[in-house]
Amino acid sequence: MTDYLDAVIVEHNPTNKKIDRAVIWLHGLGASGHDFEPVVPQLGLADNMAVRFIFPHATKRAVTVNGGMVMPAWYDILEMSLERKIDVAQIEESAQQINDLISREVERGVSPEHIVIAGFSQGGAVAYHVALGYPKRLAGLMTLSTYLATNDNIDYSAANKDMPILIEHGSHDPVVPVVLGEQAQQLLSDKGYNVAYHTYPMAHQVCMPQIQAIGTWLNAVLA
């Protein structure tokens, strides 16, 4: 029996239809699944859409760059250089936990092509790993204020070569420099992916114009 990650579940379903869309959205380091829960009503999703948002809680683990402090983390960060030395095995372990959540949604009747994988900061690094390697077509990949940590370890899936990818970043981000978002955009564009890239005049956070833009994008890719 699969041991699923605990998660906050929010459903957008104004007309009480059978849920047939899903967004699995991963939080950042030291946060929780509650972080993006308040965003759902602000997205302006279409009334005829029945979407389940799954906001999983990361496992608690020691984080080297934070003095070994134990906190919710998708993986250990060993060094805060621009290249970000990380524990790749832990990213792969977290990615498998997200793959299990995808499988659960499929069992509930949501097709993979109607599932978006999203993540902020650390969660975005795992979202990249999951979606780019997933063997069936997904609805889209959304990565916020993050970086592509595992390019050399991803088994890029041909099924998702035309998957819409949304990369968003704060131009004043002191935690994950905007150059890392640009690098991910360039690398994926060079590989032939359909990437939309936006920056906002903000730090390591989200802002209301961005949330509205995310809603517009979700309405399009989940339609």
Side-chain angles (χ1 to χ4, degrees):
M1 185 175 171
T2 306
D3 188 15
Y4 297 105
L5 286 173
D6 286 338
V8 176
I9 307 295
V10 180
E11 293 184 355
H12 168 86
N13 192 7
T15 55
N16 205 28
K17 293 164 56 178
K18 184 180 187 296
I19 296 278
D20 60 1
R21 303 285 191 273
V23 178
I24 302 174
W25 194 328
L26 283 60
H27 63 74
L29 176 65
S32 80
H34 292 288
D35 249 28
F36 288 96
E37 181 182 1
V39 166
V40 177
Q42 302 173 327
L43 291 169
L45 296 178
D47 285 345
N48 64 350
M49 209 174 268
V51 189
R52 180 182 297 113
F53 285 81
I54 301 99
F55 300 107
H57 303 296
T59 303
K60 289 186 177 179
R61 64 180 93 234
V63 178
T64 302
V65 295
N66 286 350
M69 191 183 298
V70 174
M71 62 184 67
W74 298 107
Y75 54 89
D76 188 15
I77 303 171
L78 306 168
E79 204 176 90
M80 281 295 277
S81 60
L82 194 59
E83 291 74 30
R84 289 294 198 282
K85 192 176 176 189
I86 58 158
D87 189 320
V88 174
Q90 289 182 355
I91 277 203
E92 291 173 340
E93 174 193 316
S94 291
Q96 183 54 56
Q97 292 175 316
I98 304 309
N99 278 315
D100 290 342
L101 293 178
I102 296 173
S103 297
R104 185 169 66 178
E105 290 310 300
V106 173
E107 287 165 12
R108 288 170 167 170
V110 182
S111 300
E113 65 265 25
H114 294 149
I115 298 175
V116 167
I117 306 300
F120 176 82
S121 196
Q122 248 210 355
V126 177
Y128 274 129
H129 197 85
V130 170
L132 295 171
Y134 194 73
K136 295 180 181 175
R137 176 64 153 79
L138 294 164
L141 166 65
M142 178 175 75
T143 61
L144 311 174
S145 304
T146 189
Y147 55 102
L148 179 45
T150 53
N151 176 49
D152 295 337
N153 305 92
I154 295 171
D155 184 10
Y156 283 87
S157 165
N160 281 304
K161 201 71 182 176
D162 64 341
M163 168 183 64
I165 299 174
L166 177 65
I167 300 175
E168 303 212 318
H169 218 106
S171 55
H172 314 314
D173 192 332
V175 179
V176 180
V178 68
V179 66
L180 294 178
E182 293 165 357
Q183 283 176 4
Q185 184 269 334
Q186 189 62 58
L187 189 150
L188 292 173
S189 295
D190 289 348
K191 288 179 179 289
Y193 284 91
N194 171 23
V195 184
Y197 177 72
H198 306 135
T199 59
Y200 295 85
M202 62 181 185
H204 195 61
Q205 63 193 103
V206 293
C207 63
M208 189 44 104
Q210 177 190 21
I211 289 167
Q212 292 166 342
I214 288 169
T216 300
W217 183 81
L218 287 173
N219 276 325
V221 302
L222 291 174

